[in-house]
Amino acid sequence: MRLRLRFTWLLALALTSGAAPALAHGVTVEHRKVSSVELEARFETGEPMANAQVLVYAPGNPTDVWQEGTTNDQGRFSFTPDSSQPGSWEVMVRQAGHGVLTTIPVADSTAEGDPASTPATEAEAGSNSLISPSTTLSPVQRGITIGSVIWGFIGTALFFARGKR
Amino acid sequence: MHIPDGILPAQVCAAGYAVTGVATWYSLRQINRRPDPAAEVPKASLLTAAFFVASSIYIPVPPASVHLILNGLLGVVLGYFAFPAILIGLFFQALVIGHGGLTTLGVNATMMGVPALLAYHIFQTRNILGKMLPEPTRTGVFAFLGGSLGLGIAALIFLALIVFNIPAELNAGAEQAAVLTLSVGHIPLAIVEGVFTAMLVLFLRRVKPELLEG
């Protein structure tokens, strides 16, 4: 069983806007908007990879787990990368010996410029970096490839079955 | 049941390649000792095609879904041709379908090919161990045993490989439970493949018995 990970970037949330405190009986709630990453893991059959373990590694530190968690029933998992550590974040999704290690590029949030444009380029880079060679094939191309391999086997069989004359 | 790239540590992948190398050498040597080594290549080639396609056929076994392997069947019908056939089939599966991977090709070939050779030997003992059974039943029963045990042993190797190679960062309990569930899902599959092997062997026995002599 092979997995294909589909990533949905949450673009709606802009980077660190102003903090807005709300006070009530000594409880302080502050909120600020951050950009997070949502990923969706499915088996090749289209079945969601539910309750799979997810390990997130920060850039430049491939040995220590930065965050761990599990996917939900729909195979989704989201995390908020530390925007002070730009670079390639690695995410490992694994269940019962099936798994994928994938890279998610995160841009530097402290960079100057329009914050809204940053996630868009991230999304582009994200979708490009996730395509493994076999997923770039359309179903027709895949069918032709598989058919060619099978024809190769049949041709071998016919060649050796031609008899000695 | 194919192990993809990046799941096993490098030492295990290297060991898998080493075992595959030895098993391939041994199988090819056994094949080469036959009077006509190329005689069974057509049969082997067609069954390699069947093996290649079989992993795309999924059978839902709640909560997981498993796919056909057919390694036991290849072992029973092909004998020593089964190992090279499985190796070639796995290579194309890794390249074209994306099942398994090139770094784990050796491990996967060992996991499926060695049980296939065992299945062949199980099937060959039918005339020694199965004397009390009448002839068509004897061949059928031993073909079933070969087909199902071939897959069953492969599933056990898979279970052992995953359980003993869980990275320290993972929650070992959850991963063990998940892999155990998946392995249990292979019990009905083993029965299905055993029945399938028995049907094929009985069919071959009727129409072309010399194919089973091996």
Side-chain angles (χ1 to χ4, degrees), chain A residues 111-129:
Chain A
E112 300 294 321
D114 181 13
S117 68
T118 318
T121 51
E122 276 175 8
E124 269 177 48
S127 59
N128 284 338
S129 69

Side-chain angles (χ1 to χ4, degrees), chain B residues 155-207:
Chain B
L156 284 180
I157 297 176
F158 173 78
L159 179 68
L161 276 173
I162 298 300
V163 166
F164 289 118
N165 288 297
I166 296 176
E169 304 90 38
L170 279 183
N171 179 349
E175 180 72 0
Q176 277 166 5
V179 74
L180 206 59
T181 313
L182 185 69
S183 301
V184 168
H186 280 87
I187 294 174
L189 182 70
I191 295 170
V192 168
E193 291 204 1
V195 170
F196 192 55
T197 309
M199 280 161 58
L200 180 73
V201 165
L202 289 176
F203 174 74
L204 288 178
R205 187 178 169 274
R206 257 210 333 272
V207 296

Side-chain angles (χ1 to χ4, degrees), chain B residues 90-164:
Chain B
L90 283 172
F91 176 73
F92 281 105
Q93 280 175 353
L95 280 190
V96 178
I97 313 182
H99 285 194
L102 289 181
T103 57
T104 51
L105 180 64
V107 174
N108 284 330
T110 306
M111 182 171 80
M112 300 181 199
V114 173
L117 296 182
L118 287 176
Y120 167 66
H121 287 289
I122 291 170
F123 184 60
Q124 289 308 109
T125 56
R126 69 189 183 280
N127 293 328
I128 305 160
L129 296 178
K131 280 211 173 72
M132 63 286 282
L133 291 169
E135 183 31 55
T137 323
R138 185 197 299 174
T139 306
V141 165
F142 276 80
F144 173 83
L145 283 180
S148 53
L149 284 179
L151 179 69
I153 296 167
L156 284 180
I157 297 176
F158 173 78
L159 179 68
L161 276 173
I162 298 300
V163 166
F164 289 118

